Amino acid sequence: MTEQVVVAPLLAALVTAIVTLLLRSYPRLQRGASVLGSGAYGVGVLVLASWVAADPDGRLVYQVSDWTAPFGISLVADPLSVLMLGLTAVVSLAALVYSLWFVDRES
């Protein structure tokens, strides 16, 4: 179960994209879903960071579909990748809030 937390930020972004596409007829709900999804992405990164910090090796490896590296996809979370995910979460949330404020002000 510990290795599966590696896909948490990816799943949060994917679900947010799908929900915002489905809500494109309702702009206010779409904006709210975007902010909630960005927050869920940040929470996923925090959970991943706590698991990576608690791991004795300092990294988590998840084999997608349980195939080994030459044939499958390996997702690896180490302190540097978690730092980059955290920076992405902070910058994307700030850009989203700024853009929502700017778009609301124009309309």
Side-chain angles (χ1 to χ4, degrees), residues 27-43:
R28 295 190 81 172
L29 288 175
Q30 186 181 33
R31 292 173 186 159
S34 295
V35 172
L36 286 176
S38 185
Y41 179 79
V43 169

Side-chain angles (χ1 to χ4, degrees), residues 55-80:
D55 190 62
D57 295 334
R59 63 181 158 80
L60 295 173
V61 179
Y62 179 69
Q63 302 291 336
V64 177
S65 72
D66 206 23
W67 288 17
T68 57
F71 303 107
I73 299 170
S74 298
L75 299 177
V76 179
D78 58 357
L80 179 63

Side-chain angles (χ1 to χ4, degrees), residues 41 83-93:
Y41 179 79
L83 175 69
M84 293 297 150
L85 287 171
L87 288 173
T88 302
V90 169
V91 170
S92 66
L93 182 63

Side-chain angles (χ1 to χ4, degrees), residues 1-50:
M1 175 70 181
T2 59
E3 292 85 14
Q4 294 171 346
V5 75
V6 174
V7 297
L10 178 69
L11 288 178
L14 180 66
V15 169
T16 302
I18 292 170
V19 168
T20 54
L21 280 174
L22 292 175
L23 292 175
R24 64 179 167 218
S25 300
Y26 308 99
R28 295 190 81 172
L29 288 175
Q30 186 181 33
R31 292 173 186 159
S34 295
V35 172
L36 286 176
S38 185
Y41 179 79
V43 169
V45 171
L46 288 175
V47 169
L48 180 60
S50 68

